[in-house]
Amino acid sequence: MPRTPTPETAPAREPAAEDAGLSHGLKQRHLSMIALGGVIGAGLFVGSGAGIAAAGPAVVLAFAASGLLVMLVMRMLGEMSAARPASGSFSVHADREIGRWAGFTVGWLFWVLLCVGVAVEAIGAAGIVSGWLPAVPSWAWVALFMAFFCLTNLAAVRNFGEFEFWFAAVKVLAISAFLVIGVLAICGLLPGTPAPGLSNLTGHGGFLPNGASGLVTGLLASVFAYGGLETVTIAAAESEDPRRSVAVAVRTAMWRIALFYVGSMAVIVTLVPWDDPEVVKPGPYVAVLDALGIPGAAELMNVVVLVALLSAMNANIYGASRMAHSLVARGHGPGGLSRISGGVPRRAVLASCGFGFLAVLLSYWWPETVFSWLLNMVGAAVLVVWGFICVAQLRMRRHLSTAQLPVRMWAFPYLTYLALAAVLAVLVLMTLDPANRVQLYFTAGLTLVLAAVGALRGRRAAAR
């Protein structure tokens, strides 16, 4: 009799069984641009202002530190996804390496995170367009965006790829132009703009004006600005060459993070005072462009932020639908959602969009209660996901040889343990701030509930 494959003997590069039937319509150019633009979100263009206001010029250190953590996590996820491509990504790896309860927990937690993200991004995008066309109510724009991206994701995966390709191209062009203009201004090469020198870095209270507490707040803000990078490993499972796509995306993550995040933060705090009220509202990028006398800076950045919001919305619908499909295909949910039609899990797309639209309605009906609770429940979800990735990678390495790994984690297991310790440290730091503490407790509650349900489902399945 042929021997049943075990984790040690099973082919490490065989695609996940639950992905059978999914199309492979994403081309390398799609994945490359998704990976490139995936690190550029609305959190960078707008949300980074809160981190600058808290940490001052030291926000550069905060983004560098959190960027190093993200690079380690993505390297681990890339190692696992290149060895075993799966649309369920880290949920599949947690399922195999930690236990079915873990795959259930982290998968559904991430699904809720993405669906809530769809709602937040739709509301934000509608707010920007309503500012241009106030005659049209905000809810109409929300409905239009939700319907449009739902339909495009129902049609074919290449639609998602094409939209993300062009969205990412706009974001990359915008941030690249900003960096070029900023560097020219810093060097005194921009006509009509004197070089600022170090006055904004050393003045206004110094490089660390608010002390260690301000740096911690900036660190927390920077960590959550990096959310969403995980989607590229989900999309890679539907590419023409999943292993190569993951490897390319992960290997270029370092310079993207250093250039787009750390580089732009350095430009901003060098060119404008960190305590300028415009850094928070309308945002740090608008503040810099206004200070340099760039005409129409606010409206220009509104267009870029709108593109970033629509891009994230599109990517979140895609990622949520694939995660839901993978979960139910592995027996972690209602089987009807696993049906694939035309290479697309259309019922999973509809379910994900439906939950996202429900979250939008909750934001109108009960913004201070139910919707606020929902936001808090996913407030620290990305850190929980990163923690599961660290543990799964540690366990996977026990039964995979380095020859089976197209991408390898650096200095294993030391940097893996370092990343896990850093994730735990950030969770501890969240307890120091009242607002972050509430998010941590809500997320912990949701995680524990999902873990309990996953464990109970596992016991019932084992008893059959």
Side-chain angles (χ1 to χ4, degrees):
M1 292 181 62
R3 187 170 55 143
T4 301
T6 65
E8 292 80 4
T9 61
R13 301 187 180 186
E14 183 179 345
E18 64 268 17
D19 292 342
L22 291 177
S23 67
H24 291 269
L26 295 178
K27 300 182 181 297
Q28 183 61 48
R29 68 180 180 87
H30 294 145
L31 265 292
S32 297
M33 192 57 77
I34 289 170
L36 190 62
V39 296
I40 309 173
L44 173 63
F45 290 116
V46 180
S48 57
I52 295 172
V59 74
V60 176
L61 300 180
F63 270 87
S66 56
L68 286 173
L69 172 58
V70 172
M71 281 188 274
L72 294 179
V73 172
M74 284 303 296
R75 188 75 181 188
M76 286 183 278
L77 183 55
E79 176 183 285
M80 294 187 290
S81 298
R84 292 172 173 169
S87 62
S89 188
F90 48 83
S91 174
V92 173
H93 307 319
D95 202 316
R96 292 171 173 172
E97 307 302 333
I98 304 174
R100 286 183 57 79
W101 69 270
F104 178 94
T105 302
V106 73
W108 285 117
L109 179 66
F110 192 69
W111 181 79
V112 174
L113 170 64
L114 293 183
C115 291
V116 173
V118 168
V120 172
E121 288 136 11
I123 294 169
I128 292 175
V129 180
S130 294
W132 297 331
L133 302 171
V136 181
S138 178
W139 63 263
W141 292 114
V142 171
L144 177 64
F145 294 147
M146 293 287 296
F148 179 78
F149 286 114
C150 183
L151 290 174
T152 56
N153 275 274
L154 284 171
V157 70
R158 66 176 177 271
N159 289 342
F160 159 74
E162 284 298 324
F163 276 110
E164 281 305 293
F165 178 86
W166 293 109
F167 282 153
V170 171
K171 292 188 291 183
V172 170
L173 179 62
I175 196 71
S176 299
F178 175 84
L179 289 171
V180 170
I181 293 172
V183 171
L184 290 175
I186 291 172
C187 296
L189 300 177
L190 196 66
T193 303
L198 301 178
S199 60
N200 291 322
L201 297 177
T202 58
H204 308 276
F207 188 75
L208 192 61
N210 295 323
S213 62
L215 182 59
V216 168
T217 303
L219 177 64
L220 294 175
S222 65
V223 165
F224 298 113
Y226 286 112
L229 281 170
E230 306 84 2
T231 305
V232 71
T233 61
I234 296 174
E238 290 186 79
S239 65
E240 296 174 332
D241 189 347
R243 299 170 195 87
R244 180 174 179 273
S245 298
V246 170
V248 171
V250 170
R251 285 169 181 158
T252 58
M254 180 178 294
W255 71 265
R256 292 200 310 269
I257 291 173
L259 179 63
F260 294 145
Y261 276 84
V262 182
S264 61
M265 289 302 106
V267 167
I268 290 167
V269 296
T270 302
L271 290 174
V272 296
W274 67 269
D275 53 357
D276 186 336
E278 289 196 359
V279 167
V280 177
K281 190 175 182 180
Y285 291 81
V286 174
V288 169
L289 295 178
D290 278 338
L292 297 179
I294 305 298
E299 289 307 316
L300 178 63
M301 286 310 302
N302 272 337
V303 173
V304 176
V305 171
L306 176 63
V307 169
L309 287 167
L310 295 178
S311 172
M313 187 179 174
N314 185 39
N316 284 354
I317 290 175
Y318 171 82
S321 65
R322 269 43 178 192
M323 183 61 73
H325 163 74
S326 175
L327 284 163
V328 298
R330 285 177 281 136
H332 290 319
L337 294 182
S338 65
R339 181 174 297 180
I340 295 176
S341 177
V344 177
R346 289 175 177 160
R347 293 186 180 181
V349 172
L350 291 172
S352 301
C353 290
F355 189 91
F357 192 69
L358 174 62
V360 171
L361 296 178
L362 293 176
S363 74
Y364 287 112
W365 295 338
W366 300 292
E368 302 300 327
T369 53
V370 179
F371 186 66
S372 177
W373 299 338
L374 198 57
L375 290 176
N376 283 327
M377 282 191 290
V378 298
V382 68
L383 290 169
V384 177
V385 170
W386 291 355
F388 274 99
I389 290 172
C390 294
V391 175
Q393 192 263 345
L394 279 170
R395 297 176 67 90
M396 180 182 283
R397 267 294 188 96
R398 295 179 180 178
H399 49 73
L400 286 182
S401 66
T402 55
Q404 296 174 296
L405 302 174
V407 177
R408 300 178 191 176
M409 177 59 183
W410 304 301
F412 178 83
Y414 306 109
L415 288 184
T416 299
Y417 282 119
L418 178 62
L420 182 57
V423 169
L424 296 175
V426 174
L427 290 172
V428 171
L429 290 176
M430 289 186 70
T431 64
L432 304 178
D433 179 74
N436 286 318
R437 190 185 306 136
V438 170
Q439 291 185 354
L440 178 61
Y441 293 160
F442 269 87
T443 303
L446 176 60
T447 303
L448 290 174
V449 168
L450 289 173
V453 172
L456 182 60
R457 288 175 60 89
R459 289 183 181 179
R460 287 180 177 176
R464 290 174 187 169

